[in-house]
Amino acid sequence: MLLCCLALLVVAPAAAQEPPAGDVAVEVRLDPPTAVLGETVRLVIRVEHGADQVVAVGRVDQAVAIQLVEDARVSEGAAAAGRLTSEYVYTIAAFSLGLVELGEAEVRALRDDGSRTVLRVALPPLRVEATTAADDERLRPLTPQRDVGGAPRPWERFEVIAGALVAAAALLSLLLAWRLLRSLLLRRSLARAREERAQWPLEEEARRRLDALAQRGAPESGEESVAYYREIASVVRAYLEARGGFRATALTTNELESRMLDEGIDRWQARLIVGLLERCDGSVYAHRHPDRDSADHDLTLAYEIVELGRARAQESSGDGEDLEAAGGEAE
């Protein structure tokens, strides 16, 4: 008898930590409860719980014939007697006729003292109805067209012919105006591009070499990768040397990073350039050849480096400084 009493004293505190399931009330409904094939339905799980509890819907089973269109949208509100409500709204769609079982939902409630309540709530079934009649597979004759006695045929009416001609003329005018406008815009774009190429020859030369590399495509063998990355490194170093006015082709990557920081290039831009050159050296000298996707990404980085240099040159020219002239004086 004494042993039984001791056992009850040990088990009683542990059992007291589990709150009764009655303090959590779950209401589940379908809006609407009946749908047609493919129509979306709102699955609403409303949980009423104490103010000291945090509620979560851990898992909602999905039937094979149900697709989750939109994940849960959660909203909270106040209930009577200082209790709270948490509402989870799922959007689902059914793709099977008849009565579809939705399974169960797991509702978990956690108190401040660490005790928790876990409920498994059965979801109501969804009835999916057909939109066609049972005999729709039977072929039926088409309904004959209705004729108005004494009325002229459509192509014999003057209004129809005149309207068609006016519509055709308006369409032709719009087409000609669109072609003229497109031609004008194209000429302006080409003129602007020629002016920009004349204004920024260093960037255009670097882009021309990168375009030629892009036309050849990403490397497929080790030899092609070596040539590919050797050309990228050559373009980047030659551009930095021409635009910055320092011997980028004769510096190591560490020396180049220090020199770029001294020239006022942002640290993250310098790190970007050095990282690309280190991958080029790894392919050329260490025969670590990246895959095709990485090679395309590195070529894109080379384009970005050229455009970043153009942006820095534009900012400097706006302040009355000419980087090319400064580069010539530095040499």
Side-chain angles (χ1 to χ4, degrees), residues 135-210:
D135 61 345
D136 266 0
E137 296 182 356
R138 179 174 53 86
L139 297 179
R140 296 183 298 273
L142 297 176
T143 303
Q145 297 182 356
R146 295 183 178 181
D147 294 330
V148 179
R153 296 181 178 88
W155 57 86
E156 294 179 350
R157 299 180 59 179
F158 174 76
E159 296 85 353
V160 175
I161 298 175
L165 292 177
V166 170
L171 182 60
L172 182 60
S173 300
L174 290 175
L175 180 60
L176 291 176
W178 177 79
R179 293 191 62 178
L180 290 174
L181 179 60
R182 182 172 177 270
S183 177
L184 179 60
L185 293 177
L186 181 60
R187 286 198 298 269
R188 289 184 178 179
S189 177
L190 292 176
R192 190 181 303 111
R194 286 193 296 268
E195 181 181 354
E196 185 175 354
R197 284 195 297 268
Q199 184 180 3
W200 306 101
L202 298 180
E203 285 74 18
E204 293 305 321
E205 173 62 19
R207 290 186 62 90
R208 182 190 63 79
R209 294 178 61 183
L210 293 177

Side-chain angles (χ1 to χ4, degrees), residues 94-116:
F95 296 95
S96 178
L97 295 175
L99 194 65
V100 180
E101 298 293 340
L102 303 184
E104 295 180 339
E106 186 179 85
V107 179
R108 297 192 295 267
L110 179 64
R111 289 185 179 275
D112 295 338
D113 59 0
S115 61
R116 61 178 181 175

Side-chain angles (χ1 to χ4, degrees), residues 244-258:
F246 54 87
R247 295 300 301 272
T249 56
L251 299 176
T252 64
T253 52
N254 292 333
E255 294 171 342
L256 182 60
E257 183 175 9
S258 300

Side-chain angles (χ1 to χ4, degrees), residues 40 124 135 171 197 221 228 306:
T40 58
D135 61 345
L171 182 60
R197 284 195 297 268
S221 63
Y228 183 87
V306 174

Side-chain angles (χ1 to χ4, degrees), residues 113-316:
D113 59 0
S115 61
R116 61 178 181 175
T117 301
V118 180
L119 298 177
R120 296 192 61 83
V121 182
L123 302 179
L126 174 64
R127 180 170 298 279
V128 183
E129 298 180 347
T131 58
T132 57
D135 61 345
D136 266 0
E137 296 182 356
R138 179 174 53 86
L139 297 179
R140 296 183 298 273
L142 297 176
T143 303
Q145 297 182 356
R146 295 183 178 181
D147 294 330
V148 179
R153 296 181 178 88
W155 57 86
E156 294 179 350
R157 299 180 59 179
F158 174 76
E159 296 85 353
V160 175
I161 298 175
L165 292 177
V166 170
L171 182 60
L172 182 60
S173 300
L174 290 175
L175 180 60
L176 291 176
W178 177 79
R179 293 191 62 178
L180 290 174
L181 179 60
R182 182 172 177 270
S183 177
L184 179 60
L185 293 177
L186 181 60
R187 286 198 298 269
R188 289 184 178 179
S189 177
L190 292 176
R192 190 181 303 111
R194 286 193 296 268
E195 181 181 354
E196 185 175 354
R197 284 195 297 268
Q199 184 180 3
W200 306 101
L202 298 180
E203 285 74 18
E204 293 305 321
E205 173 62 19
R207 290 186 62 90
R208 182 190 63 79
R209 294 178 61 183
L210 293 177
D211 290 342
L213 195 61
Q215 289 180 357
R216 291 181 355 216
E220 297 182 355
S221 63
E223 295 180 359
E224 292 182 359
S225 181
V226 170
Y228 183 87
Y229 278 95
R230 180 180 287 116
E231 178 66 10
I232 290 179
S234 175
V235 171
V236 172
R237 287 180 176 272
Y239 173 71
L240 292 175
E241 181 171 320
R243 175 56 70 188
F246 54 87
R247 295 300 301 272
T249 56
L251 299 176
T252 64
T253 52
N254 292 333
E255 294 171 342
L256 182 60
E257 183 175 9
S258 300
R259 185 57 186 272
M260 285 188 293
L261 293 177
D262 294 339
E263 294 294 330
I265 298 178
D266 291 340
R267 182 175 297 275
W268 72 269
Q269 295 183 11
R271 187 65 254 175
L272 180 71
I273 297 171
V274 170
L276 176 60
L277 293 178
E278 287 177 348
R279 288 193 296 276
C280 292
D281 292 342
S283 178
V284 174
Y285 301 110
H287 299 286
R288 295 192 301 267
H289 307 306
D291 54 26
R292 292 176 59 88
D293 292 338
S294 298
D296 289 335
H297 178 263
D298 290 335
L299 181 61
T300 303
L301 284 181
Y303 279 106
E304 292 294 333
I305 290 170
V306 174
E307 292 306 318
L308 288 173
R310 188 200 303 267
R312 290 193 303 271
Q314 288 175 344
E315 292 178 0
S316 299

